[in-house]
Amino acid sequence: MKIKAKQLSLSDIYDDVQSFFEEDKPKFIKLFDSFIDLSELIPPSFYAHYYSHFGRHRDFSLESMLTSLIIQKILSIPTVQLLVHVLKLSKELRELCGFKRVPHPSQFSRFKSIFLKDLENFFNNLVNLTEPICQAINPSISNILIADTTGFEPYVRENNPKFFDSLYRNIKKFSKSNPDFDAHSYACSKMPKFAHSNPDAKFSYINGHYCYSIKATILTNGLGIIQHISFYDDDSLNVNTAKSAAESKDLYDSKTLIPSLKEFFNLHPNFSYRYFLGDAGFDSFDNYKYLFSEHGIIPIIPINPRNSKNLPQPTFNSDGIPTCPRDPSLKMSYDGIVREKGRTTRIKWLCPMSKKVRLNGKTTYILQCDNPCTSSKCGRIFYTTLDIDFRKNTVVPRNSKKWSKLYEKRPIIEKSISLLKSSIAVDSFKLINTRSIKADVFLGAITQHIGLIITAKLGTFEHPLSLKKLLA
């Protein structure tokens, strides 16, 4: 019986290249040397800035510096000092980078700090170049947009576990006489809001632990290819008012999605997606409205129980006015329009048994109800939005077969972030400077897109099986 040869698809080739990048790094370096010409990928603005900064007599070319830093990510070399030692020991890597002599570690550090914006533009340019490749691999999966938040921990004193343990031990000494006192929560509240050596490193709750991190929102498509990295540096977002660490994370997730998406679509106005996948932290009315109304994207987001209070819900009368949950004949009182930064405009309704009064120059509420539906001193407060409820009335019903099948693809972004932090060694760099950390994150994402471009180059072969011959 004649055995038919299997025709490899572009998707098969991508899977092979991805495995070589994660498991067989020397082979990936050979592919990089054979198929990648950085001069074809670097934006002209990057060249202009590099040449204007160093002048005509440059010790190292832009391609050499970028190649060496990409090699650092491929080999998961944690520091530029170790990268310099590796380059000095390996003639082959020096030739690949085009170095006649190896740069000093400080030259690599200054390069990342000076050209951070250019590295970001380089990454955004690669996203445009690789979008057709993603569509060729799997158009249906590529039309899915996934978001998640993460944090990159700088090498600061506050991230040493001993810093918190010392504070915790001292507080426990004073709490022995009070068994109801929560020493751990109190210790967390006494931690500094930002690191002393880097104010950009804020006190955060990341991946189940407290730390000082530079937080970011990551967007990928359904293939796990990073599409956008947004470092949200707006100081107006204060998550320290949250009642718990998990609530703090949810607040950050819900308030940073729209600014990140606006930034992404401004950079790539021709990109379009069918579905958006996000965890329960993104469960916010404003996010649903923005995704569906502004871009026609169907949100696939689980309900966050923290956003759904276990209280009896008001009903509505024939005029559309909410009524008391205990007595529908009592209309709730109109209490004005609420406008908050980053949120949709809402109408505030007050319990019909509550009155707003001025006492001693301050506004306060007096509740006169024998059977209140809430423990709040001012009675039940209810908000209605000026639009339909996109959050509850989803296009794809929650927990339907289609919804569940789509949501199963969300963990791919966690794998991408893990690869960014572990395989590319972003999270193990002992860096303090914010610009250097951000540059390494963008270099890690650039390296992923380099692998995708190699996939396309291999896919143009007449016989895709030659991939195996090339790597033999």
Side-chain angles (χ1 to χ4, degrees):
M1 181 179 178
K2 185 177 179 181
I3 300 176
K4 295 183 179 179
K6 180 183 177 182
Q7 182 72 16
L8 291 182
S9 66
L10 190 58
S11 178
D12 296 328
I13 297 172
Y14 171 71
D15 291 338
D16 286 340
V17 172
Q18 183 78 350
S19 65
F20 296 140
F21 175 59
E22 296 180 27
E23 302 169 7
D24 199 339
K25 299 181 186 300
K27 288 184 179 180
F28 188 82
I29 290 176
K30 290 179 182 178
L31 287 173
F32 179 85
D33 187 26
S34 300
F35 295 102
I36 296 299
D37 183 359
L38 285 181
S39 64
E40 298 177 353
L41 304 176
I42 299 173
S45 60
F46 201 164
Y47 277 113
H49 187 195
Y50 188 79
Y51 292 162
S52 65
H53 183 83
F54 288 107
R56 181 174 298 180
H57 302 290
R58 298 176 296 275
D59 294 330
F60 312 104
S61 70
L62 177 57
E63 294 90 341
S64 297
M65 294 296 290
L66 284 174
T67 300
S68 59
L69 290 171
I70 290 172
I71 293 299
Q72 180 190 14
K73 304 299 174 291
I74 295 172
L75 296 178
S76 301
I77 300 174
T79 64
V80 290
Q81 289 81 1
L82 185 56
L83 172 64
V84 168
H85 290 310
V86 171
L87 290 172
K88 287 180 177 179
L89 292 172
S90 174
K91 179 182 178 182
E92 291 80 7
L93 284 181
R94 288 199 304 275
E95 291 177 349
L96 174 63
C97 296
F99 286 140
K100 293 182 179 179
R101 66 178 180 86
V102 179
H104 190 271
S106 63
Q107 291 176 294
F108 284 113
S109 299
R110 285 197 298 270
F111 176 88
K112 291 189 290 185
S113 181
I114 294 170
F115 301 106
L116 170 61
K117 188 62 180 178
D118 298 283
L119 289 170
E120 182 180 357
N121 292 336
F122 184 18
F123 163 70
N124 291 327
N125 185 57
L126 288 176
V127 172
N128 285 326
L129 291 175
T130 56
E131 178 61 16
I133 303 173
C134 294
Q135 294 294 332
I137 292 174
N138 192 320
S140 61
I141 294 181
S142 296
N143 286 330
I144 296 174
L145 185 64
I146 311 175
D148 201 2
T149 57
T150 188
F152 301 94
E153 302 173 33
Y155 193 64
V156 294
R157 180 172 68 98
E158 290 82 355
N159 275 333
N160 189 329
K162 294 180 180 178
F163 184 86
F164 176 79
D165 291 342
S166 176
L167 178 63
Y168 183 48
R169 283 196 304 270
N170 290 332
I171 292 175
K172 282 186 70 177
K173 293 178 183 178
F174 298 99
S175 65
K176 291 181 179 179
S177 59
N178 186 359
D180 297 328
F181 180 73
D182 190 344
H184 186 274
S185 297
Y186 186 76
C188 291
S189 68
K190 292 300 179 183
M191 291 286 282
K193 301 307 178 187
F194 52 84
H196 177 73
S197 57
N198 184 353
D200 293 329
K202 306 269 192 319
F203 187 53
S204 314
Y205 184 74
I206 301 291
N207 297 331
H209 71 284
Y210 290 99
C211 65
Y212 288 80
S213 68
I214 297 170
K215 301 190 75 172
T217 300
I218 309 290
L219 301 178
T220 74
N221 58 21
L223 294 170
I225 301 302
I226 298 174
Q227 303 290 88
H228 188 65
I229 302 171
S230 177
F231 293 95
Y232 196 72
D233 300 325
D234 189 354
D235 292 331
S236 66
L237 176 59
N238 182 15
V239 297
N240 294 317
T241 58
K243 296 179 181 179
S244 65
E247 184 179 321
S248 172
K249 180 186 181 302
D250 290 344
L251 181 61
Y252 180 87
D253 288 1
S254 64
K255 291 211 170 187
T256 56
L257 179 63
I258 293 177
S260 300
L261 290 174
K262 285 182 177 179
E263 191 177 89
F264 173 66
F265 285 113
N266 284 337
L267 290 168
H268 313 285
N270 296 324
F271 282 27
S272 62
Y273 298 90
R274 178 63 175 163
Y275 300 103
F276 170 86
L277 310 184
D279 61 22
F282 296 107
D283 178 33
S284 164
F285 175 86
D286 303 289
N287 292 339
Y288 288 93
K289 178 185 175 184
Y290 177 80
L291 287 164
F292 192 72
S293 296
E294 299 290 332
H295 298 283
I297 300 175
I298 299 174
I300 306 294
I301 305 172
I303 286 288
N304 191 336
R306 295 187 185 88
N307 295 339
S308 304
K309 297 180 180 179
N310 295 320
L311 296 174
Q313 296 299 310
T315 56
F316 292 84
N317 64 13
S318 57
D319 296 325
I321 297 175
T323 61
C324 174
R326 304 286 195 200
D327 185 357
S329 65
L330 299 176
K331 296 190 295 183
M332 299 187 78
S333 304
Y334 174 79
D335 198 31
I337 301 292
V338 178
R339 295 181 176 89
E340 294 178 314
K341 182 179 179 181
R343 300 193 67 174
T344 189
T345 302
R346 298 174 296 163
I347 302 174
K348 183 179 179 181
W349 301 92
L350 187 63
C351 172
M353 305 302 293
S354 178
K355 291 184 178 180
K356 183 191 288 187
V357 297
R358 296 281 293 180
L359 292 176
N360 300 324
K362 295 183 179 180
T363 300
T364 186
Y365 295 90
I366 298 177
L367 180 64
Q368 298 176 334
C369 181
D370 297 330
N371 184 24
C373 60
T374 176
S375 59
S376 174
K377 294 181 180 180
C378 61
R380 183 65 181 274
I381 293 177
F382 187 70
Y383 295 94
T384 56
T385 59
L386 300 179
D387 299 283
I388 63 172
D389 198 336
F390 294 96
R391 177 172 175 257
K392 292 183 179 179
N393 304 321
T394 56
V395 177
V396 179
R398 282 189 182 86
N399 300 321
S400 63
K401 288 184 179 180
K402 184 176 182 179
W403 191 95
S404 300
K405 187 175 181 180
L406 285 166
Y407 194 71
E408 286 175 355
K409 296 178 173 59
R410 196 200 70 82
I412 190 69
I413 191 172
E414 296 177 0
K415 181 179 179 181
S416 294
I417 293 175
S418 177
L419 183 65
L420 193 64
K421 289 186 171 184
S422 301
S423 299
I424 310 174
V426 169
D427 207 33
S428 60
F429 287 172
K430 295 185 176 181
L431 295 174
I432 299 176
N433 182 270
T434 300
R435 294 182 66 84
S436 295
I437 293 173
K438 290 181 178 180
D440 279 324
V441 174
F442 284 117
L443 283 164
I446 287 169
T447 306
Q448 185 192 52
H449 283 266
I450 293 294
L452 196 58
I453 292 172
I454 291 175
T455 296
K457 297 279 180 99
L458 292 169
T460 58
F461 290 175
E462 184 178 355
H463 302 288
L465 286 173
S466 60
L467 169 64
K468 307 297 183 182
K469 298 179 181 178
L470 176 67
L471 296 170

